[in-house]
Amino acid sequence: MFGLITPEDWYRIPLQPQDRREASVAALVKRQFAGVDDQPVLRRKTEEQLLGTAEAGAEQGGAVLYLSFLEAGGIPLSASLLVSHLYEKFDALDAVAALVGSGEVGLITLPAAGRAARLVRREQSKQSRKLGSEFQDTVVEYFVPVPDRDEVLMLTFSTPLEPIADAMVELFDAVAGTLCWQRQSDEDVQNYTGDEEAWATN
């Protein structure tokens, strides 16, 4: 299991099972539209968009999705974090070798989680192309081998804010730096229901 600390204004959406994912999205929409009763069309479109984002994350094997609702000077600092599991034996050095050529890649050491591969790449998303934007999304991925398991924890951060991408990458690095492994007690094992939320904190 793992612990991860995210900024206070990042909203956490568990992606499995489906009913839990949909309930979490519904709660987020309710929070965002609290006190707003005259925007039913916008509310419905927002919920559809969030559900689509969450479903896409689940289809990619994601376990948890975080969405940023941070603001600076009234400007939304849009970002997301998808936490996924890769069920294969995977050393950080293997990840570096496999990722060479796909972006800026290197081997790093996270303070509590140990060695990891870090990849920074830039791409134009479908949403950006649809809106006619020339900006590229900045994506930072971390591949972190899980101790004593043939498994890798994958953290995929993304932001469409190209003009302040460097500052957002610094934030992503800070969040990734909080990743730590938490030992399961016998009681945890007995109570574990397959719910990832039991193992992640923010």
Side-chain angles (χ1 to χ4, degrees):
M1 63 187 184
F2 66 90
L4 187 69
I5 300 173
T6 61
E8 184 178 350
D9 289 329
W10 282 27
Y11 187 87
R12 185 178 186 282
I13 301 174
L15 298 180
Q16 299 295 346
Q18 180 179 345
D19 58 349
R20 185 119 186 273
R21 177 172 73 237
E22 292 175 349
S24 183
V25 168
L28 172 57
V29 172
K30 182 178 180 180
R31 189 191 77 170
Q32 293 302 105
F33 283 84
V36 180
D37 299 320
D38 59 348
Q39 296 288 342
V41 175
L42 179 59
R43 178 171 180 151
R44 184 171 64 252
K45 286 185 176 180
T46 299
E47 184 164 11
E48 290 174 354
Q49 183 179 22
L50 289 171
L51 280 172
T53 300
E55 289 168 5
E59 289 172 358
Q60 294 174 42
V64 184
L65 174 67
Y66 294 86
L67 297 176
S68 168
F69 291 91
L70 286 169
E71 290 189 359
I75 300 175
L77 300 182
S78 300
S80 64
L81 163 60
L82 180 66
V83 181
S84 311
H85 296 274
L86 302 177
Y87 294 99
E88 56 183 290
K89 191 170 184 178
F90 209 58
D91 184 270
L93 288 173
D94 296 332
V96 170
L99 296 170
V100 166
S102 56
E104 303 168 23
V105 63
L107 184 64
I108 63 171
T109 300
L110 297 175
R115 291 201 310 171
R118 175 180 180 272
L119 171 68
V120 181
R121 55 187 172 86
R122 291 168 178 83
E123 62 185 22
Q124 192 169 35
S125 67
K126 293 180 180 178
Q127 185 67 17
S128 295
R129 289 195 296 270
K130 186 183 298 183
L131 296 174
S133 172
E134 296 181 357
F135 288 149
Q136 291 185 313
D137 288 2
T138 298
V139 181
V140 186
E141 294 177 311
Y142 301 82
F143 299 81
V144 192
V146 179
D148 305 319
R149 292 190 184 182
D150 292 342
E151 183 180 338
V152 173
L153 193 69
M154 181 177 172
L155 309 180
T156 302
F157 296 87
S158 180
T159 179
L161 302 176
E162 187 174 348
I164 58 169
D166 290 345
M168 296 301 289
V169 169
E170 289 182 7
L171 174 61
F172 298 161
D173 287 339
V175 172
T178 70
L179 179 67
C180 63
W181 307 116
Q182 301 173 343
R183 184 179 299 277
Q184 285 180 244
S185 67
D186 291 340
E187 182 179 358
D188 287 335
V189 172
Q190 291 174 359
N191 294 334
Y192 179 56
T193 61
D195 181 358
E196 191 67 37
E197 185 175 18
W199 315 127
T201 60
N202 68 311

mmCIF file of all heavy atoms in Angstrom, residues 12-28:
data_model
loop_
_atom_site.group_PDB
_atom_site.id
_atom_site.type_symbol
_atom_site.label_atom_id
_atom_site.label_comp_id
_atom_site.label_asym_id
_atom_site.label_seq_id
_atom_site.Cartn_x
_atom_site.Cartn_y
_atom_site.Cartn_z
ATOM 1 N N ARG A 12 -10.150 13.940 -5.146
ATOM 2 C CA ARG A 12 -9.800 12.538 -5.362
ATOM 3 C C ARG A 12 -11.000 11.728 -5.827
ATOM 4 O O ARG A 12 -12.050 11.732 -5.182
ATOM 5 C CB ARG A 12 -9.257 11.964 -4.057
ATOM 6 C CG ARG A 12 -8.748 10.549 -4.152
ATOM 7 C CD ARG A 12 -8.199 10.135 -2.788
ATOM 8 N NE ARG A 12 -7.582 8.842 -2.885
ATOM 9 C CZ ARG A 12 -8.224 7.696 -2.919
ATOM 10 N NH1 ARG A 12 -9.545 7.697 -2.863
ATOM 11 N NH2 ARG A 12 -7.575 6.553 -3.019
ATOM 12 N N ILE A 13 -10.852 11.017 -6.943
ATOM 13 C CA ILE A 13 -11.922 10.183 -7.489
ATOM 14 C C ILE A 13 -11.429 8.732 -7.574
ATOM 15 O O ILE A 13 -10.563 8.416 -8.385
ATOM 16 C CB ILE A 13 -12.343 10.648 -8.896
ATOM 17 C CG1 ILE A 13 -12.836 12.099 -8.858
ATOM 18 C CG2 ILE A 13 -13.432 9.730 -9.468
ATOM 19 C CD1 ILE A 13 -13.144 12.671 -10.233
ATOM 20 N N PRO A 14 -11.945 7.833 -6.741
ATOM 21 C CA PRO A 14 -11.619 6.413 -6.895
ATOM 22 C C PRO A 14 -12.262 5.905 -8.181
ATOM 23 O O PRO A 14 -13.424 6.209 -8.451
ATOM 24 C CB PRO A 14 -12.226 5.763 -5.645
ATOM 25 C CG PRO A 14 -13.313 6.703 -5.216
ATOM 26 C CD PRO A 14 -12.889 8.075 -5.620
ATOM 27 N N LEU A 15 -11.526 5.142 -8.958
ATOM 28 C CA LEU A 15 -12.024 4.739 -10.276
ATOM 29 C C LEU A 15 -12.704 3.381 -10.295
ATOM 30 O O LEU A 15 -13.381 3.041 -11.260
ATOM 31 C CB LEU A 15 -10.860 4.760 -11.279
ATOM 32 C CG LEU A 15 -10.221 6.142 -11.488
ATOM 33 C CD1 LEU A 15 -9.089 6.049 -12.503
ATOM 34 C CD2 LEU A 15 -11.261 7.164 -11.931
ATOM 35 N N GLN A 16 -12.525 2.596 -9.280
ATOM 36 C CA GLN A 16 -13.167 1.286 -9.204
ATOM 37 C C GLN A 16 -13.782 1.105 -7.823
ATOM 38 O O GLN A 16 -13.189 1.527 -6.828
ATOM 39 C CB GLN A 16 -12.135 0.172 -9.464
ATOM 40 C CG GLN A 16 -11.479 0.226 -10.822
ATOM 41 C CD GLN A 16 -12.450 -0.008 -11.977
ATOM 42 O OE1 GLN A 16 -13.585 -0.460 -11.763
ATOM 43 N NE2 GLN A 16 -12.020 0.299 -13.185
ATOM 44 N N PRO A 17 -14.976 0.503 -7.772
ATOM 45 C CA PRO A 17 -15.812 0.050 -8.881
ATOM 46 C C PRO A 17 -16.548 1.216 -9.544
ATOM 47 O O PRO A 17 -16.481 2.352 -9.067
ATOM 48 C CB PRO A 17 -16.791 -0.908 -8.195
ATOM 49 C CG PRO A 17 -16.910 -0.354 -6.802
ATOM 50 C CD PRO A 17 -15.555 0.184 -6.456
ATOM 51 N N GLN A 18 -17.291 0.916 -10.591
ATOM 52 C CA GLN A 18 -17.950 1.955 -11.373
ATOM 53 C C GLN A 18 -18.925 2.787 -10.553
ATOM 54 O O GLN A 18 -18.965 4.017 -10.689
ATOM 55 C CB GLN A 18 -18.676 1.337 -12.568
ATOM 56 C CG GLN A 18 -19.392 2.356 -13.449
ATOM 57 C CD GLN A 18 -20.093 1.723 -14.637
ATOM 58 O OE1 GLN A 18 -19.848 0.572 -14.973
ATOM 59 N NE2 GLN A 18 -20.971 2.466 -15.278
ATOM 60 N N ASP A 19 -19.721 2.141 -9.703
ATOM 61 C CA ASP A 19 -20.717 2.897 -8.948
ATOM 62 C C ASP A 19 -20.053 3.874 -7.983
ATOM 63 O O ASP A 19 -20.550 4.975 -7.748
ATOM 64 C CB ASP A 19 -21.691 1.966 -8.213
ATOM 65 C CG ASP A 19 -21.011 1.020 -7.245
ATOM 66 O OD1 ASP A 19 -19.763 0.920 -7.266
ATOM 67 O OD2 ASP A 19 -21.725 0.367 -6.463
ATOM 68 N N ARG A 20 -18.903 3.491 -7.448
ATOM 69 C CA ARG A 20 -18.174 4.396 -6.555
ATOM 70 C C ARG A 20 -17.617 5.576 -7.338
ATOM 71 O O ARG A 20 -17.601 6.713 -6.876
ATOM 72 C CB ARG A 20 -17.049 3.618 -5.892
ATOM 73 C CG ARG A 20 -16.305 4.445 -4.862
ATOM 74 C CD ARG A 20 -16.432 3.814 -3.486
ATOM 75 N NE ARG A 20 -15.827 4.698 -2.504
ATOM 76 C CZ ARG A 20 -14.540 4.658 -2.200
ATOM 77 N NH1 ARG A 20 -13.737 3.800 -2.771
ATOM 78 N NH2 ARG A 20 -14.048 5.486 -1.294
ATOM 79 N N ARG A 21 -17.108 5.301 -8.536
ATOM 80 C CA ARG A 21 -16.581 6.359 -9.413
ATOM 81 C C ARG A 21 -17.681 7.363 -9.737
ATOM 82 O O ARG A 21 -17.479 8.573 -9.631
ATOM 83 C CB ARG A 21 -16.030 5.728 -10.690
ATOM 84 C CG ARG A 21 -15.526 6.730 -11.715
ATOM 85 C CD ARG A 21 -14.821 6.010 -12.841
ATOM 86 N NE ARG A 21 -15.713 5.301 -13.733
ATOM 87 C CZ ARG A 21 -15.642 4.008 -14.009
ATOM 88 N NH1 ARG A 21 -14.744 3.241 -13.435
ATOM 89 N NH2 ARG A 21 -16.481 3.452 -14.866
ATOM 90 N N GLU A 22 -18.850 6.858 -10.105
ATOM 91 C CA GLU A 22 -19.945 7.748 -10.490
ATOM 92 C C GLU A 22 -20.445 8.543 -9.294
ATOM 93 O O GLU A 22 -20.792 9.722 -9.422
ATOM 94 C CB GLU A 22 -21.074 6.915 -11.102
ATOM 95 C CG GLU A 22 -20.699 6.300 -12.449
ATOM 96 C CD GLU A 22 -21.764 5.386 -13.008
ATOM 97 O OE1 GLU A 22 -22.714 5.070 -12.246
ATOM 98 O OE2 GLU A 22 -21.651 4.984 -14.174
ATOM 99 N N ALA A 23 -20.475 7.931 -8.117
ATOM 100 C CA ALA A 23 -20.920 8.644 -6.916
ATOM 101 C C ALA A 23 -19.934 9.753 -6.558
ATOM 102 O O ALA A 23 -20.340 10.851 -6.134
ATOM 103 C CB ALA A 23 -21.062 7.664 -5.751
ATOM 104 N N SER A 24 -18.643 9.493 -6.745
ATOM 105 C CA SER A 24 -17.631 10.501 -6.438
ATOM 106 C C SER A 24 -17.731 11.692 -7.383
ATOM 107 O O SER A 24 -17.626 12.852 -6.973
ATOM 108 C CB SER A 24 -16.241 9.872 -6.515
ATOM 109 O OG SER A 24 -15.244 10.802 -6.146
ATOM 110 N N VAL A 25 -17.960 11.412 -8.671
ATOM 111 C CA VAL A 25 -18.131 12.490 -9.652
ATOM 112 C C VAL A 25 -19.380 13.300 -9.323
ATOM 113 O O VAL A 25 -19.375 14.537 -9.387
ATOM 114 C CB VAL A 25 -18.211 11.919 -11.087
ATOM 115 C CG1 VAL A 25 -18.669 12.990 -12.062
ATOM 116 C CG2 VAL A 25 -16.857 11.365 -11.510
ATOM 117 N N ALA A 26 -20.455 12.625 -8.973
ATOM 118 C CA ALA A 26 -21.698 13.322 -8.623
ATOM 119 C C ALA A 26 -21.483 14.236 -7.419
ATOM 120 O O ALA A 26 -21.997 15.364 -7.377
ATOM 121 C CB ALA A 26 -22.806 12.308 -8.332
ATOM 122 N N ALA A 27 -20.704 13.763 -6.435
ATOM 123 C CA ALA A 27 -20.419 14.584 -5.250
ATOM 124 C C ALA A 27 -19.582 15.803 -5.621
ATOM 125 O O ALA A 27 -19.785 16.900 -5.081
ATOM 126 C CB ALA A 27 -19.698 13.745 -4.201
ATOM 127 N N LEU A 28 -18.651 15.623 -6.534
ATOM 128 C CA LEU A 28 -17.829 16.746 -6.990
ATOM 129 C C LEU A 28 -18.675 17.791 -7.705
ATOM 130 O O LEU A 28 -18.546 18.996 -7.445
ATOM 131 C CB LEU A 28 -16.730 16.239 -7.931
ATOM 132 C CG LEU A 28 -15.901 17.312 -8.652
ATOM 133 C CD1 LEU A 28 -15.242 18.259 -7.652
ATOM 134 C CD2 LEU A 28 -14.855 16.659 -9.549
#
